[in-house]
Amino acid sequence: MSEPFSLLMAVYRGDHPVHFAKAFASSVGGQSRPPAQVVLVQDGPVSPGLEGAIETAIADSPVPVVLHRIEQNAGLATALATGLALSDHDIVARMDADDISLPERFAAQLPLIEDGLDLVGTGMLEFLDDDGSIVGRRVPRTGQAEIERYARFHDPFSHPTVVYRRSAVERAGGYQPLGLMEDYWLFARMIHAGARVGNIAEPLVMYRVGAGAYARRGGRAQWRSELALQRALRRIGFTTRREHLRNVLVRGGYRFVPEPVRKLAYRRFIARGPASRPSEEL
């Protein structure tokens, strides 16, 4: 039987009103299988424009919306943990406030959850912020064994695409702040706790690539977050000593290569899909 599900979104002051409106509409009224509830967490104060877009989205929504406002910006992990607690349903779909869900996204993902998986992601199409042109495609790893193997080096899921069971998230300890790596940290703990996982290779989410997308993948803040993540993965026994050393050297070093090199590596080794790239990505 089909189960109802909640859509979980978080917005903050950096989100663009028009982008948010498109993300909301594409993930609710634009779906062939829409959510039964939307949980929207406003993480701190937002601009008047975004406030207006939120009010309009709620007023026009074909399904009930729970809006929770956090007075001061608390970060994505806290916002999503708060939203999960407000979800009426065990199945929860994630969506970022600046991406676009394709119409058959949930119709493709929900049956896999209902058939026994705890976490399901999809592929993504990357599009430019300015003119909307498609510039890349992310093809995820599929199958439990391959996802588990790959997760020891790289996040096997694109966070804006996932649908999961809240109960499986809670068994793994839920969202926990970890610099800029809270999604990878959660998914690794879910796998480590025995979650049944999968990915749909087909791109069912359009991911917005704006200015600074590659710059944000590097720098000292990313390096510190990377080290914190690798220490955490090693602490729970998710990675071996050898994997830990490899990850610190390769993933940590990647944060300091020049931005043009980082962009080239990303386009060459990540966006083109597993059939045309080495088995380890950055």
Side-chain angles (χ1 to χ4, degrees):
M1 294 181 61
S2 297
E3 294 184 52
F5 68 100
S6 299
L7 175 69
L8 175 58
M9 298 181 67
V11 294
Y12 83 117
R13 63 181 179 273
D15 290 320
H16 192 286
V18 173
H19 298 168
F20 163 75
K22 290 181 179 180
F24 188 99
S26 72
S27 303
V28 183
Q31 288 296 304
S32 61
R33 183 173 174 181
Q37 175 201 36
V38 178
V39 178
L40 183 60
V41 180
Q42 180 181 310
D43 187 15
V46 299
S47 68
L50 183 53
E51 185 75 43
I54 292 171
E55 293 176 357
T56 298
I58 294 173
D60 295 343
S61 175
V63 303
V65 180
V66 175
L67 173 63
H68 180 84
R69 291 185 174 94
I70 300 175
E71 185 174 349
Q72 298 296 326
N73 181 264
L76 183 60
T78 298
L80 295 181
T82 301
L84 273 183
L86 297 172
S87 299
D88 288 342
H89 307 291
D90 189 46
I91 301 179
V92 177
R94 272 284 295 119
M95 182 61 182
D96 280 354
D98 57 355
D99 300 326
I100 297 173
S101 291
L102 298 183
E104 298 301 317
R105 177 189 168 188
F106 299 140
Q109 290 180 279
L110 267 292
L112 298 180
I113 298 288
E114 292 161 343
D115 284 345
L117 294 185
D118 297 306
L119 169 63
V120 177
T122 80
M124 296 197 302
L125 292 175
E126 297 181 342
F127 69 102
L128 289 178
D129 199 17
D130 50 0
D131 63 6
S133 59
I134 304 298
V135 296
R137 174 173 176 166
R138 295 192 196 182
V139 183
R141 305 304 169 109
T142 59
Q144 182 85 30
E146 175 62 9
I147 290 173
E148 288 187 10
R149 183 199 67 80
Y150 186 57
R152 267 68 184 182
F153 182 75
H154 191 275
D155 189 348
F157 300 99
S158 294
H159 196 194
T161 75
V162 299
V163 174
Y164 45 52
R165 285 205 176 269
R166 181 178 61 184
S167 52
V169 172
E170 291 171 345
R171 282 196 300 271
Y175 281 99
Q176 300 172 5
L178 187 67
L180 306 169
M181 306 286 182
E182 47 267 300
D183 54 340
Y184 189 177
W185 176 227
L186 171 63
F187 302 147
R189 285 183 286 115
M190 290 180 70
I191 292 171
H192 195 55
R196 295 158 293 182
V197 299
N199 268 317
I200 299 172
E202 179 185 359
L204 295 174
V205 171
M206 295 184 65
Y207 178 76
R208 190 181 302 275
V209 180
Y214 302 102
R216 288 192 296 270
R217 300 178 191 276
R220 289 190 176 276
Q222 277 281 355
W223 177 72
R224 286 192 294 268
S225 294
E226 186 68 61
L227 293 185
L229 171 67
Q230 296 307 326
R231 285 194 293 266
L233 295 177
R234 181 71 192 108
R235 184 178 68 249
I236 66 171
F238 188 72
T239 54
T240 65
R241 291 181 180 178
R242 181 177 180 179
E243 289 167 339
H244 173 77
L245 179 60
R246 175 201 61 188
N247 293 353
V248 169
L249 292 175
V250 178
R251 290 179 56 90
Y254 173 75
R255 308 304 173 185
F256 291 105
V257 299
E259 183 179 344
V261 177
R262 188 159 53 246
K263 178 177 179 179
L264 179 64
Y266 175 79
R267 296 252 59 86
R268 171 63 181 86
F269 297 113
I270 296 179
R272 292 176 59 183
S276 61
R277 64 175 182 254
S279 61
E280 295 183 348
E281 302 172 351
L282 298 175

